[in-house]
Amino acid sequence: MKETKIILSEKEIPTQWYNIQADLPKPLPPVIHPATGQPITPDDLAPLFPMALIEQEVSQERWIDIPEEVRDIYKLWRPTPLYRARRWEKALDTPAKIYYKWEGVSPPGSHKPNTAVAQAYYNKKEGQTRLATETGAGQWGSSLAFGCNLFDMECKVYMVRISYDQKPYRRIMMETWGAECVPSPSPDTQVGRDVLAQDPDSTGSLGMAISEAVEDAVTHEGTKYSLGSVLNHVLLHQTVIGLEAKKQLEVAGDYPDIIIGCIGGGSNFAGFFLPFARDKLEGTAPDLRIICTESTACPSLTRGLYRYDFGDTACTTPLLKMYTLGHNFIPAPIHAGGLRYHGMAPIICHLYDLGILEAVAYHQNEVFKAAVNFARAEGFLPAPEPAHAIKAVVDEALKCRESGEAKVIVLAFSGHGHFDLAAYDEYLAGRMQDYELPEEEIQEALKELPRVGG
Amino acid sequence: MKETKIILSEKEIPTQWYNIQADLPKPLPPVIHPATGQPITPDDLAPLFPMALIEQEVSQERWIDIPEEVRDIYKLWRPTPLYRARRWEKALDTPAKIYYKWEGVSPPGSHKPNTAVAQAYYNKKEGQTRLATETGAGQWGSSLAFGCNLFDMECKVYMVRISYDQKPYRRIMMETWGAECVPSPSPDTQVGRDVLAQDPDSTGSLGMAISEAVEDAVTHEGTKYSLGSVLNHVLLHQTVIGLEAKKQLEVAGDYPDIIIGCIGGGSNFAGFFLPFARDKLEGTAPDLRIICTESTACPSLTRGLYRYDFGDTACTTPLLKMYTLGHNFIPAPIHAGGLRYHGMAPIICHLYDLGILEAVAYHQNEVFKAAVNFARAEGFLPAPEPAHAIKAVVDEALKCRESGEAKVIVLAFSGHGHFDLAAYDEYLAGRMQDYELPEEEIQEALKELPRVGG
């Protein structure tokens, strides 16, 4: 009888994170200070992040040690299983060999705590007692609440008002782990009060929530800011996923032909593919395809521009060079809240620009169709975000059926959909809407890109 | 660095279920046909269950082979991890060694699919194409939907109306796995139509839903009935939990002093403790304590009578000898829906009567207090049912703190609370109600026990 899961022992949890910056053929474009137009310095970032994370952000070291305290917490759910999707292969009638790396076993239900725990650790070590962050649908906020709780730190989460009202479960999860979660805009910051004065019924936005969390961090003693995606150190922490997956595939005697994941800010899929991208950069896996999937409602890579832009709507962050739809772009209300970000991790954009990555965008009805078929074959209910990647796996597996090729396809399966069942309900009832994004709308949003760095 | 999880390989998934009936010092009381007052025969049960399950129900064989097809599906989530709860021990400042066996990693999120998959398999093998069942909060219905889907069988779930309306997520889960879920009372059965004619706004009850599912099974071609707890064959299938846990504790070099679980119908905890109860019956573990936890709102073992009673409110089932509060007893609306059953698995009742088990009942506020402390120490959010067992672990661990004893305490942790966060919200906001059950109410409910067998 064949194995379904490839399981590693706790001893095989990576002891180091992998830093792609050591292996890039040309370095990442610098992060720019919007006021000076010059590259930012560590001191510029010091009010927001602890020095250890700022160092990781710019480090050129290939391997960075994972602190034992962090590894010890990883053991609550890591190593995560790598599944061979035999039932799904059969359902698709494909000769392809499909694997998925399943991050949904963590307490918050996704890959997010891989970095939340590390960020809480470094902040605690440098004397912080409290972290402030923003969250959309709540996946990141609940993970940081989880991480802070384990290091006895306070955690304040500014949650986009519309999600706060519509999706109370993630908020309750945060409170159960001892965090404070308020709807954004909130009366707790000047930014929030200003918005509320103009529009007491504002439903908020991620950009607004970021501005509140940043203000909170710089105005409270012992408090720093924490971000759940996009930045280099966040992607670095997530490489435990890919390092484990690589070892697991070795155990299975396979190496991927295609790896597929979804990208919102990019941290989950980058965490998965970076150790494989290294092989491609070094020329040992020249034919490896790395496919990023996004939503047609927020197609940063497939339709955005590679330009310097702000990370938030209120223009309070440094400027990052990234594929962006413009910091004022407001995506349609798709269920994959984690894919509704105007920009993209600079590391992903750089590799995309170098031709290392492919990208494809999907509508949500085709995505949920694939997710339901996956759930019926493999049991687990995907979150709407990785459901986009599942759709791409289906497409590639069906191509294998036509060509007769037994390709090895590996899916980065970032989290469960237990708090997204209303989306499944909508899909099954035929009430789910697709959003065609007019070119004019993108052009309009791109008009306000800052004039920095080209 | 010490291990957090004890993980077995897929090869170590048990190949046989353990049947306690082979080792009982005196046999289980017979199941009685209500019309004749005589023990029921396999033929009496044939309209409801496939012959393989009827044979398992009365088998005296100690070991019963697990079909390879069932074991192969178990691999989607089994063997489940056994955790050493080091963070919880530290939070409780106890010298006790606490372990928990975590069944929440299954796709439906609890132990229930261990039997759902087996029941679907045997029904399919005997030519059935469809199963009918009832569900309260939806834990069981979603597990049977999951099981039927994997064997390409139809599944019809009668879900208690009040839960159907208040907790749509479990219903959507069932539908995602292809099952049909209707609120009970429904217009789909005579029983349902009769109730609706009298009271169109009836919120339903588990007893009523059982009656609908039974009627559905006997009136539809190719359809049998399926039950998620109470019966011997259900408990049998769940012994994979305890068999794995025993092996995992051996790996850890420990044997329990105390094992603790929650009991509603009793299938999860019995599945856990039966392989250990055998040691106690055989005299090799005379001091082992096995503690059953229940709700003060539905205290079958602690305040019920050991008598013959019906399994459902409408008196359509055979009579089982069990600790019961009477088949008309309606428990207060506690959040632990799985503990709101008037009776108890006959095997548990028999062992309790023999003095092998202890029982204790808790109020839900003290239970949720323990659950929140657990979640803050170990990360995972317990369902309200195992939260009752968590409260007992806390009590025993604190006794160890006082006595200085390093007892080994093992918790049967049956499922996650991702669909029960409203209950956490209620608790955290101080809005949770406890229910004192007046003795007169129990006496009233017990008045209608049938006059059979004692």
Side-chain angles (χ1 to χ4, degrees):
Chain A
M1 212 164 54
K2 295 166 195 163
E3 277 188 342
T4 295
K5 304 181 290 299
I6 296 129
I7 304 279
L8 302 176
S9 73
E10 291 182 356
K11 287 188 194 113
E12 294 171 285
I13 295 173
T15 54
Q16 298 181 309
W17 292 301
Y18 168 62
N19 180 13
I20 189 86
Q21 293 191 67
D23 292 312
L24 291 174
K26 61 178 191 177
L28 288 172
V31 177
I32 299 291
H33 195 298
T36 65
Q38 296 300 311
I40 52 158
T41 64
D43 282 353
D44 292 330
L45 293 173
L48 294 182
F49 303 108
M51 205 43 72
L53 294 179
I54 295 171
E55 281 166 15
Q56 290 179 2
E57 190 65 19
V58 295
S59 171
Q60 302 295 311
E61 294 294 319
R62 182 170 292 116
W63 297 102
I64 293 177
D65 287 346
I66 305 177
E68 275 306 289
E69 293 87 338
V70 172
R71 267 190 97 230
D72 203 44
I73 291 174
Y74 280 173
K75 292 180 183 173
L76 283 173
W77 72 95
R78 305 208 73 84
T80 61
L82 179 79
Y83 278 79
R84 171 76 187 272
R86 296 186 199 279
R87 283 183 179 74
W88 196 20
E89 291 169 15
K90 202 175 158 197
L92 294 169
D93 190 21
T94 178
K97 292 167 79 170
I98 307 176
Y99 293 89
Y100 55 92
K101 177 71 169 164
W102 179 217
E103 291 292 306
V105 292
S106 77
S110 79
H111 64 292
K112 291 283 186 191
N114 295 330
T115 185
V117 168
Q119 292 190 43
Y121 167 79
Y122 287 114
N123 275 286
K124 173 83 173 188
K125 206 178 160 199
E126 294 187 24
Q128 307 309 319
T129 56
R130 185 171 171 277
L131 289 177
T133 197
E134 70 289 332
T135 198
Q139 207 36 285
W140 168 244
S142 57
S143 294
L144 193 66
F146 166 78
C148 284
N149 166 65
L150 289 170
F151 287 103
D152 277 326
M153 297 178 77
E154 286 179 61
C155 181
K156 171 86 173 254
V157 182
Y158 294 86
M159 184 171 184
V160 177
R161 163 123 242 157
I162 190 163
S163 295
Y164 183 94
D165 290 339
Q166 288 178 353
K167 301 183 178 179
Y169 273 25
R170 283 275 171 202
R171 187 251 312 156
I172 302 167
M173 208 170 192
M174 296 178 221
E175 291 172 350
T176 302
W177 283 321
E180 185 192 355
C181 175
V182 295
S184 167
S186 79
D188 299 1
T189 66
Q190 192 57 49
V191 172
R193 285 187 294 272
D194 288 349
V195 175
L196 289 172
Q198 284 205 319
D199 176 10
D201 298 325
S202 166
T203 52
S205 74
L206 201 55
M208 201 179 292
I210 293 177
S211 307
E212 286 206 275
V214 166
E215 179 185 326
D216 181 304
V218 298
T219 56
H220 283 79
E221 195 68 34
T223 299
K224 297 277 184 198
Y225 170 69
S226 174
L227 192 66
S229 193
V230 179
L231 299 181
N232 303 342
H233 69 270
V234 180
L235 274 57
L236 173 80
H237 301 155
Q238 294 293 356
T239 58
V240 287
I241 305 172
L243 293 168
E244 283 179 8
K246 219 170 167 182
K247 207 181 281 187
Q248 287 164 313
L249 285 164
E250 272 171 36
V251 171
D254 273 321
Y255 189 89
D257 294 299
I258 308 172
I259 59 184
I260 299 175
C262 63
I263 48 164
S267 74
N268 165 65
F269 191 39
F272 185 94
F273 77 63
L274 285 173
F276 295 95
R278 182 189 178 193
D279 299 345
K280 204 166 153 96
L281 288 169
E282 289 183 343
T284 59
D287 299 326
L288 171 65
R289 294 177 59 204
I290 303 174
I291 305 177
C292 302
T293 60
E294 55 186 14
S295 168
T296 47
C298 194
S300 324
L301 279 197
T302 51
R303 295 177 71 187
L305 291 182
Y306 191 33
R307 294 274 293 276
Y308 273 94
D309 197 5
F310 290 102
D312 69 332
T313 317
C315 306
T316 62
T317 70
L319 292 167
L320 303 169
K321 190 165 180 192
M322 54 184 180
Y323 282 85
T324 179
L325 297 163
H327 56 271
N328 285 320
F329 179 74
I330 295 174
I334 53 166
H335 289 281
L339 304 189
R340 296 178 72 243
Y341 185 64
H342 67 276
M344 184 55 57
I347 285 178
I348 288 190
C349 298
H350 189 63
L351 290 169
Y352 186 59
D353 194 49
L354 290 171
I356 301 294
L357 313 177
E358 303 170 40
V360 59
Y362 293 112
H363 285 291
Q364 58 179 356
N365 268 297
E366 57 188 347
V367 158
F368 274 86
K369 183 182 175 193
V372 168
N373 288 337
F374 176 88
R376 290 185 183 175
E378 295 291 317
F380 300 103
L381 279 94
E385 293 84 1
H388 286 69
I390 284 170
K391 163 64 178 155
V393 173
V394 170
D395 286 354
E396 294 298 329
L398 295 183
K399 281 184 211 163
C400 286
R401 181 165 78 186
E402 281 180 31
S403 68
E405 289 171 290
K407 287 189 178 167
V408 175
I409 305 174
V410 189
L411 163 73
F413 187 13
S414 56
H416 64 64
H418 295 174
F419 302 107
D420 304 285
L421 281 161
Y424 281 86
D425 201 27
E426 228 179 81
Y427 169 74
L428 292 169
R431 285 185 281 104
M432 184 169 274
Q433 208 181 324
D434 281 338
Y435 299 94
E436 270 303 326
L437 187 58
E439 185 60 27
E440 313 83 76
E441 198 175 315
I442 295 184
Q443 291 311 322
E444 194 59 38
L446 288 173
K447 271 184 193 161
E448 294 179 58
L449 284 180
R451 298 169 176 274
V452 183
Chain B
M1 213 164 55
K2 295 165 193 164
E3 279 188 340
T4 295
K5 304 181 291 298
I6 296 130
I7 304 279
L8 302 176
S9 73
E10 290 182 356
K11 288 188 192 112
E12 294 171 285
I13 294 173
T15 55
Q16 298 181 309
W17 292 301
Y18 168 62
N19 181 13
I20 189 86
Q21 293 191 66
D23 292 312
L24 291 173
K26 61 177 193 177
L28 288 172
V31 176
I32 298 292
H33 195 299
T36 64
Q38 296 299 310
I40 52 158
T41 64
D43 283 352
D44 292 331
L45 293 174
L48 294 182
F49 303 108
M51 205 42 73
L53 293 179
I54 295 171
E55 281 165 15
Q56 289 179 3
E57 191 65 20
V58 295
S59 170
Q60 301 296 309
E61 294 295 317
R62 182 171 292 117
W63 297 102
I64 293 177
D65 287 346
I66 304 177
E68 276 306 289
E69 294 88 337
V70 172
R71 267 190 95 229
D72 204 44
I73 292 175
Y74 280 172
K75 291 179 185 174
L76 283 173
W77 72 96
R78 307 209 70 85
T80 61
L82 180 79
Y83 277 79
R84 173 76 187 274
R86 297 186 201 278
R87 283 183 180 74
W88 196 20
E89 291 168 15
K90 202 174 157 198
L92 294 168
D93 189 21
T94 177
K97 293 168 77 171
I98 307 178
Y99 292 90
Y100 55 93
K101 177 71 169 165
W102 179 218
E103 291 292 306
V105 292
S106 77
S110 78
H111 65 291
K112 291 282 185 190
N114 295 330
T115 185
V117 168
Q119 291 191 42
Y121 167 80
Y122 287 115
N123 275 285
K124 173 85 173 186
K125 207 179 158 195
E126 294 186 23
Q128 307 308 319
T129 56
R130 185 171 171 278
L131 289 177
T133 197
E134 72 287 333
T135 198
Q139 213 24 294
W140 167 243
S142 57
S143 295
L144 193 67
F146 166 78
C148 285
N149 166 66
L150 289 171
F151 287 104
D152 277 325
M153 298 179 75
E154 288 178 59
C155 182
K156 172 87 173 252
V157 181
Y158 295 86
M159 185 172 184
V160 177
R161 165 122 242 159
I162 190 165
S163 294
Y164 183 94
D165 291 339
Q166 288 179 352
K167 301 183 179 180
Y169 273 26
R170 282 274 170 201
R171 188 253 311 157
I172 302 167
M173 208 172 194
M174 296 179 221
E175 291 172 350
T176 302
W177 284 320
E180 185 190 357
C181 175
V182 294
S184 167
S186 79
D188 299 1
T189 66
Q190 193 56 51
V191 172
R193 286 188 292 272
D194 288 350
V195 175
L196 288 172
Q198 284 205 320
D199 176 9
D201 299 323
S202 166
T203 53
S205 72
L206 201 56
M208 202 180 289
I210 294 178
S211 305
E212 285 207 275
V214 166
E215 181 186 322
D216 180 304
V218 298
T219 56
H220 284 78
E221 195 69 34
T223 301
K224 297 277 184 199
Y225 170 69
S226 174
L227 191 66
S229 192
V230 179
L231 299 181
N232 302 342
H233 69 270
V234 181
L235 274 57
L236 174 79
H237 300 155
Q238 295 292 357
T239 58
V240 286
I241 305 172
L243 293 168
E244 283 179 9
K246 218 170 169 183
K247 206 180 280 188
Q248 287 164 312
L249 285 164
E250 271 171 37
V251 171
D254 272 321
Y255 189 89
D257 294 299
I258 309 174
I259 59 184
I260 298 176
C262 63
I263 49 166
S267 74
N268 166 65
F269 191 39
F272 185 94
F273 76 63
L274 285 172
F276 295 94
R278 182 188 178 194
D279 298 345
K280 204 167 152 97
L281 288 168
E282 287 182 344
T284 59
D287 299 326
L288 170 65
R289 294 177 59 202
I290 304 174
I291 305 177
C292 303
T293 60
E294 55 186 14
S295 166
T296 47
C298 195
S300 322
L301 279 196
T302 50
R303 294 176 72 187
L305 290 181
Y306 191 32
R307 293 274 292 277
Y308 273 95
D309 198 5
F310 290 101
D312 68 333
T313 318
C315 305
T316 61
T317 70
L319 293 166
L320 302 169
K321 189 164 180 192
M322 53 186 181
Y323 282 85
T324 178
L325 297 163
H327 56 271
N328 285 320
F329 178 74
I330 296 174
I334 54 166
H335 289 281
L339 304 189
R340 295 179 72 243
Y341 185 65
H342 67 277
M344 185 52 60
I347 284 175
I348 289 191
C349 297
H350 189 63
L351 290 170
Y352 186 59
D353 195 50
L354 290 171
I356 301 295
L357 313 176
E358 302 171 39
V360 59
Y362 292 112
H363 285 290
Q364 58 179 357
N365 268 296
E366 57 188 347
V367 159
F368 274 86
K369 182 182 175 191
V372 168
N373 287 337
F374 176 88
R376 290 184 182 175
E378 296 290 319
F380 300 103
L381 277 93
E385 294 83 1
H388 286 71
I390 284 169
K391 163 63 179 156
V393 172
V394 170
D395 287 354
E396 294 298 329
L398 294 183
K399 280 184 209 162
C400 285
R401 182 165 76 186
E402 280 181 32
S403 68
E405 290 171 289
K407 286 188 178 167
V408 175
I409 305 175
V410 190
L411 163 72
F413 187 14
S414 55
H416 64 63
H418 296 173
F419 302 108
D420 304 285
L421 281 161
Y424 281 85
D425 201 27
E426 226 179 82
Y427 169 73
L428 291 169
R431 286 185 279 104
M432 184 169 275
Q433 209 181 323
D434 282 337
Y435 298 95
E436 271 302 327
L437 187 58
E439 185 61 26
E440 312 84 75
E441 199 176 314
I442 295 184
Q443 291 311 321
E444 194 59 37
L446 288 172
K447 270 184 191 160
E448 294 179 58
L449 284 180
R451 297 167 177 273
V452 183

